[in-house]
Every structure is written in C-alpha cells, then in structure tokens.
Amino acid sequence: MQFPEDIPYFVENRDIAAFFRVVLNVEFIDDIDRERSNVVRVHHKKGEVVRETPYARHLRGALEYLLRERPAGSTEWALMTGVSFWEDDRLYAYLKDLYDYFFGDRKEPPVAPDPEARQPVK
C-alpha cells in the first residue's frame, strides 16, 4: 500500500479517512479544537477521560503510526490535505502536538501553518 492508505484504519474506517482528508484539510485545520470533543470523552465533574471510543482508539493508533514510521513527506501530506508544512520535521512536529492535544496534556490546539505563507528560506 501507499500513503495515505497505509495509515492504520484509513481504509476500513471512514471516520479516520475523513479526519485526515477533511478535518486536517486546509479549510478546517484551524478548527481542530472542535474535533477534540469527538476524540476525548471527558467526565465533566472530575475532568477525567471516561472511556476511549473506537474512533479515538483508531485515531490514536493512526497518529502513533505516523509519528513512529514517518511514512509521508510534506509534499504527500500537502497533496492529501492542501496544507503545506514545507518540511517533514515541521509536519511531524505538528502531528506530535496534535497527538499531545488529543491524548496527552497539551491544553491548546496546535497552530497550523498559514496557507498564505511562502516557503521558508533555509
């Protein structure tokens, strides 16, 4: 398989495919904080995660795979989402921050690159 089909659950779970193709798309990526409630179910009284839904488990697995294997470069990512990170390290730093926002202790959503920005000078 090739990217993005090699992402775990991408082919068999439409919600995971939609997350990567739609939620992380250039038009919606700045609203990633809205997706958090679909991923993390919180017990409002104690602030603890009550349970992980199948969607959350699959998304966790997909993000862990991406962070571990780094199967795509920033060009392939831009073709899938329309979001250009320009450099692989920037892409994977964003995905790490996203993972920490959904499943770790990061309080604020990660900031996506400005779609109007020019490629940074190295």
Side-chain angles (χ1 to χ4, degrees):
M1 279 193 280
Q2 291 185 346
F3 185 80
E5 289 81 14
D6 59 348
I7 298 172
Y9 310 107
F10 188 91
V11 173
E12 60 270 23
N13 187 324
R14 289 181 14 199
D15 292 333
I16 297 302
F19 176 83
F20 289 104
R21 291 196 188 265
V22 178
V23 176
L24 294 182
N25 184 277
V26 69
E27 294 183 35
F28 302 106
I29 195 168
D30 290 332
D31 298 325
I32 197 70
D33 57 321
R34 295 180 185 175
E35 185 66 15
R36 190 176 195 195
S37 64
N38 292 329
V39 175
V40 180
R41 303 288 184 213
V42 176
H43 186 274
H44 294 287
K45 196 170 192 178
K46 296 181 181 178
E48 298 173 356
V49 176
V50 175
R51 68 181 179 91
E52 204 170 59
T53 65
Y55 172 68
R57 271 193 313 277
H58 291 170
L59 184 58
R60 178 192 293 266
L63 288 170
E64 287 173 350
Y65 166 81
L66 288 169
L67 292 168
R68 183 180 61 250
E69 301 296 326
R70 294 176 65 132
S74 58
T75 301
E76 291 90 357
W77 191 267
L79 290 172
M80 179 176 69
T81 64
V83 177
S84 182
F85 287 87
W86 300 109
E87 298 171 350
D88 295 358
D89 288 342
R90 290 179 185 209
L91 165 62
Y92 288 100
Y94 176 85
L95 292 176
K96 174 66 171 124
D97 289 346
L98 182 65
Y99 180 89
D100 291 343
Y101 178 62
F102 285 156
F103 303 108
D105 57 3
R106 184 180 173 99
K107 302 294 184 220
E108 297 295 321
V111 177
D114 180 352
E116 304 295 321
R118 293 187 172 158
Q119 183 173 3
V121 178
K122 292 184 180 184

